[in-house]
Coordinates of all heavy atoms in Angstrom, one line a residue:
Y32 N 6.4 12.7 -1.2 CA 7.1 13.8 -0.8 C 8.2 14.3 -1.7 O 8.9 13.5 -2.3 CB 8.0 13.4 0.5 CG 8.6 14.5 1.3 CD1 7.9 15.4 2.1 CD2 10.0 14.8 1.0 CE1 8.5 16.4 2.7 CE2 10.7 15.9 1.6 CZ 9.9 16.6 2.4 OH 10.6 17.7 3.1
D33 N 8.2 15.6 -2.0 CA 9.1 16.1 -3.0 C 10.5 16.3 -2.4 O 10.7 16.9 -1.3 CB 8.6 17.5 -3.5 CG 7.3 17.5 -4.2 OD1 7.0 16.4 -4.8 OD2 6.7 18.5 -4.3
L34 N 11.6 15.8 -3.1 CA 13.0 15.9 -2.7 C 13.6 16.9 -3.6 O 13.4 17.0 -4.8 CB 13.7 14.6 -2.8 CG 12.9 13.5 -1.9 CD1 13.6 12.0 -2.4 CD2 13.3 13.7 -0.4
K35 N 14.5 17.7 -3.0 CA 15.2 18.8 -3.8 C 16.6 18.6 -4.1 O 17.3 17.7 -3.4 CB 15.0 20.0 -2.8 CG 13.6 20.5 -2.5 CD 13.6 21.6 -1.5 CE 12.2 22.0 -1.2 NZ 11.5 20.9 -0.4
L36 N 17.0 19.3 -5.1 CA 18.5 19.2 -5.5 C 19.3 19.6 -4.4 O 19.1 20.8 -3.9 CB 18.7 19.9 -6.8 CG 20.2 20.0 -7.3 CD1 20.6 18.6 -7.8 CD2 20.3 20.9 -8.4
G37 N 20.3 18.9 -4.1 CA 21.2 19.1 -2.9 C 22.3 20.0 -3.3 O 22.4 20.5 -4.4
Y38 N 23.4 19.9 -2.5 CA 24.5 20.9 -2.6 C 25.7 20.2 -3.3 O 26.7 21.0 -3.5 CB 25.0 21.2 -1.1 CG 23.9 21.8 -0.3 CD1 23.1 21.0 0.6 CD2 23.5 23.2 -0.5 CE1 22.0 21.6 1.3 CE2 22.4 23.7 0.1 CZ 21.6 22.9 1.1 OH 20.6 23.4 1.8
F39 N 25.6 19.1 -3.7 CA 26.9 18.3 -4.3 C 26.5 17.6 -5.5 O 25.4 17.0 -5.6 CB 27.6 17.5 -3.2 CG 28.1 18.1 -2.1 CD1 27.3 18.2 -0.9 CD2 29.3 19.0 -2.2 CE1 27.8 19.0 0.2 CE2 29.7 19.7 -1.1 CZ 29.1 19.7 0.0
F40 N 27.4 17.6 -6.5 CA 27.4 16.8 -7.8 C 28.6 16.2 -8.1 O 29.7 16.6 -7.5 CB 26.7 17.7 -8.8 CG 27.7 18.6 -9.5 CD1 28.4 18.3 -10.7 CD2 28.2 19.8 -8.9 CE1 29.4 19.1 -11.2 CE2 29.1 20.6 -9.5 CZ 29.7 20.3 -10.7
D41 N 28.6 15.2 -9.0 CA 29.8 14.5 -9.5 C 29.6 14.3 -10.9 O 28.6 13.8 -11.3 CB 30.0 13.2 -8.7 CG 31.2 12.4 -9.0 OD1 32.1 13.0 -9.8 OD2 31.4 11.3 -8.7
E42 N 30.7 14.6 -11.7 CA 30.7 14.4 -13.1 C 31.3 12.9 -13.4 O 32.0 12.9 -14.4 CB 31.4 15.4 -13.9 CG 30.7 16.7 -13.8 CD 31.3 17.9 -14.3 OE1 32.7 18.0 -14.2 OE2 30.8 18.6 -15.2
I43 N 31.2 12.0 -12.7 CA 31.6 10.7 -12.7 C 33.2 10.7 -12.6 O 33.9 9.9 -13.2 CB 31.2 10.0 -14.0 CG1 29.8 10.2 -14.2 CG2 31.4 8.5 -13.9 CD1 28.8 9.7 -13.2
K44 N 33.7 11.6 -11.7 CA 35.2 11.7 -11.5 C 35.4 11.2 -10.1 O 36.6 11.2 -9.6 CB 35.6 13.0 -11.7 CG 35.4 13.6 -13.1 CD 35.9 15.0 -13.1 CE 35.6 15.6 -14.5 NZ 35.9 17.0 -14.6
Q45 N 34.3 10.7 -9.3 CA 34.4 10.3 -8.0 C 35.0 11.4 -7.0 O 35.7 11.2 -6.1 CB 35.4 9.0 -7.9 CG 34.8 8.0 -8.7 CD 35.6 6.6 -8.5 OE1 36.8 6.6 -8.2 NE2 35.0 5.4 -8.9
T46 N 34.6 12.6 -7.4 CA 34.9 13.8 -6.6 C 33.7 14.6 -6.5 O 33.2 15.1 -7.5 CB 36.1 14.6 -7.1 OG1 35.8 15.1 -8.5 CG2 37.5 13.9 -7.1
W47 N 33.1 14.8 -5.4 CA 31.9 15.5 -5.2 C 32.2 17.0 -5.1 O 33.0 17.4 -4.2 CB 31.1 15.1 -3.9 CG 30.5 13.7 -4.2 CD1 31.1 12.5 -3.7 CD2 29.2 13.4 -4.8 NE1 30.3 11.5 -4.2 CE2 29.2 11.9 -4.8 CE3 28.3 14.1 -5.4 CZ2 28.1 11.2 -5.3 CZ3 27.3 13.5 -5.9 CH2 27.1 12.0 -5.9
S48 N 31.6 17.8 -6.0 CA 31.8 19.2 -6.0 C 30.6 20.0 -5.6 O 29.5 19.5 -5.8 CB 32.2 19.6 -7.4 OG 33.3 19.0 -7.9
P49 N 30.7 21.3 -5.1 CA 29.5 21.9 -4.7 C 28.8 22.5 -5.8 O 29.4 22.8 -6.8 CB 30.2 23.1 -3.8 CG 31.6 23.1 -4.0 CD 31.9 21.8 -4.6
V50 N 27.4 22.5 -5.8 CA 26.7 23.1 -6.8 C 26.7 24.6 -6.6 O 26.7 25.1 -5.6 CB 25.2 22.6 -6.7 CG1 24.2 23.3 -7.6 CG2 25.0 21.1 -6.9
S51 N 26.9 25.3 -7.7 CA 27.0 26.7 -7.9 C 25.7 27.3 -7.3 O 24.6 26.8 -7.6 CB 27.3 27.1 -9.4 OG 26.9 28.5 -9.4
P52 N 25.7 28.5 -6.7 CA 24.5 29.2 -6.3 C 23.6 29.5 -7.5 O 22.4 29.7 -7.5 CB 25.1 30.5 -5.6 CG 26.5 30.2 -5.3 CD 27.0 29.2 -6.3
F53 N 24.3 29.5 -8.7 CA 23.5 29.7 -10.0 C 22.8 28.4 -10.6 O 22.1 28.6 -11.5 CB 24.5 30.4 -11.1 CG 25.1 31.7 -10.5 CD1 26.4 31.7 -10.2 CD2 24.3 32.8 -10.4 CE1 26.9 32.9 -9.8 CE2 24.9 34.0 -9.9 CZ 26.3 34.0 -9.7
G54 N 23.2 27.4 -10.0 CA 22.5 26.2 -10.4 C 23.5 25.1 -11.0 O 24.8 25.4 -11.0
L55 N 23.0 24.1 -11.5 CA 23.8 23.0 -12.0 C 23.5 22.8 -13.5 O 22.3 22.5 -13.8 CB 23.6 21.8 -11.3 CG 24.3 20.5 -11.7 CD1 25.8 20.5 -11.6 CD2 23.8 19.3 -10.8
Q56 N 24.4 23.1 -14.5 CA 24.0 23.0 -15.9 C 24.3 21.4 -16.3 O 25.3 20.9 -16.1 CB 24.9 23.9 -16.7 CG 24.4 23.9 -18.1 CD 25.0 25.1 -18.9 OE1 24.7 26.2 -18.5 NE2 25.6 24.8 -20.1
V57 N 23.2 20.9 -17.0 CA 23.4 19.6 -17.5 C 23.4 19.8 -19.0 O 22.5 20.1 -19.5 CB 22.3 18.7 -17.0 CG1 22.5 17.3 -17.6 CG2 22.0 18.7 -15.5
E58 N 24.5 19.5 -19.6 CA 24.7 19.6 -21.0 C 23.8 18.6 -21.8 O 23.5 17.7 -21.3 CB 26.2 19.4 -21.4 CG 27.2 20.4 -20.8 CD 26.8 21.9 -21.3 OE1 26.4 22.0 -22.4 OE2 27.1 22.9 -20.4
P59 N 23.6 18.9 -23.1 CA 22.7 18.0 -23.9 C 23.5 16.7 -24.0 O 24.7 16.6 -24.1 CB 22.8 18.7 -25.3 CG 23.1 20.1 -25.1 CD 23.9 20.2 -23.9
K60 N 22.7 15.7 -23.7 CA 23.2 14.2 -23.6 C 24.2 14.0 -22.6 O 24.9 13.0 -22.5 CB 23.8 13.7 -25.0 CG 22.9 13.9 -26.2 CD 21.6 13.5 -26.1 CE 20.8 13.8 -27.3 NZ 19.4 14.0 -27.3
G61 N 24.2 15.0 -21.6 CA 25.1 14.9 -20.5 C 24.6 14.1 -19.3 O 23.5 14.0 -19.1
F62 N 25.5 13.6 -18.5 CA 25.2 12.7 -17.4 C 26.1 13.1 -16.2 O 27.2 13.4 -16.3 CB 25.5 11.2 -17.7 CG 25.2 10.3 -16.6 CD1 24.0 9.8 -16.4 CD2 26.3 9.8 -15.8 CE1 23.7 9.0 -15.3 CE2 26.0 9.0 -14.7 CZ 24.7 8.5 -14.5
L63 N 25.4 13.2 -15.0 CA 26.1 13.4 -13.7 C 25.3 12.8 -12.6 O 24.1 12.5 -12.7 CB 26.4 15.0 -13.6 CG 25.1 15.9 -13.8 CD1 24.4 16.1 -12.5 CD2 25.7 17.3 -14.2
L64 N 25.9 12.8 -11.5 CA 25.2 12.4 -10.3 C 25.1 13.6 -9.4 O 26.0 14.6 -9.4 CB 26.2 11.5 -9.5 CG 26.7 10.2 -10.2 CD1 27.6 9.4 -9.4 CD2 25.5 9.3 -10.7
A65 N 24.0 13.6 -8.7 CA 23.8 14.7 -7.7 C 23.1 14.1 -6.4 O 22.4 13.1 -6.6 CB 22.9 15.8 -8.3
K66 N 23.3 14.8 -5.3 CA 22.6 14.4 -4.1 C 21.3 15.2 -3.8 O 21.3 16.3 -4.3 CB 23.5 14.6 -2.8 CG 24.9 13.9 -2.9 CD 24.7 12.5 -2.5 CE 26.1 11.7 -2.4 NZ 25.9 10.4 -2.0
T67 N 20.4 14.6 -3.1 CA 19.3 15.3 -2.6 C 19.8 16.2 -1.4 O 20.7 15.9 -0.7 CB 18.1 14.5 -2.3 OG1 18.6 13.5 -1.3 CG2 17.6 13.7 -3.5
Q68 N 18.9 17.2 -1.1 CA 19.2 18.0 0.1 C 18.8 17.2 1.2 O 19.3 17.3 2.4 CB 18.3 19.3 0.1 CG 18.9 20.5 -0.7 CD 18.2 21.7 -0.5 OE1 17.1 21.8 0.3 NE2 18.6 22.7 -1.2
E69 N 17.7 16.3 1.2 CA 17.3 15.7 2.2 C 17.8 14.3 2.4 O 18.2 13.6 1.4 CB 15.7 15.3 2.0 CG 14.9 16.6 1.9 CD 14.9 17.1 0.5 OE1 15.6 16.6 -0.4 OE2 14.1 18.1 0.2
K70 N 18.1 13.9 3.8 CA 18.5 12.6 4.0 C 17.3 11.8 4.5 O 16.5 12.4 5.4 CB 19.6 12.7 5.2 CG 20.0 11.3 5.7 CD 21.1 11.5 6.8 CE 21.5 10.2 7.5 NZ 22.4 10.4 8.6
I71 N 17.1 10.6 4.0 CA 15.9 9.8 4.4 C 16.5 8.7 5.2 O 17.3 7.9 4.8 CB 15.2 9.3 3.1 CG1 14.6 10.5 2.5 CG2 14.2 8.3 3.5 CD1 13.9 10.2 1.1
T72 N 15.7 8.4 6.3 CA 16.0 7.2 7.2 C 14.7 6.5 7.3 O 13.6 7.1 7.6 CB 16.4 7.7 8.6 OG1 17.6 8.5 8.5 CG2 16.8 6.5 9.5
L73 N 14.7 5.2 6.9 CA 13.5 4.3 6.9 C 13.7 3.2 7.9 O 14.8 2.7 8.1 CB 13.4 3.7 5.5 CG 13.2 4.7 4.3 CD1 13.2 3.9 3.1 CD2 12.0 5.5 4.5
S74 N 12.5 2.8 8.6 CA 12.6 1.7 9.4 C 12.6 0.4 8.7 O 12.6 0.4 7.4 CB 11.3 1.8 10.2 OG 10.2 1.3 9.5
P75 N 12.9 -0.8 9.3 CA 13.1 -2.0 8.6 C 11.9 -2.5 7.9 O 12.0 -3.4 7.1 CB 13.3 -3.0 9.8 CG 13.8 -2.1 10.9 CD 13.2 -0.9 10.8

Side-chain angles (χ1 to χ4, degrees):
Y32 185 85
D33 293 339
L34 299 168
K35 297 173 185 66
L36 179 65
Y38 304 100
F39 297 97
F40 76 100
D41 179 15
E42 295 176 311
I43 318 301
K44 297 176 183 173
Q45 299 182 341
T46 55
W47 291 94
S48 303
V50 173
S51 161
F53 301 104
L55 179 61
Q56 184 164 310
V57 187
E58 296 298 331
K60 312 304 181 213
F62 178 80
L63 52 85
L64 303 175
K66 300 276 188 184
T67 59
Q68 278 187 4
E69 301 83 359
K70 176 180 177 181
I71 294 180
T72 304
L73 302 175
S74 71

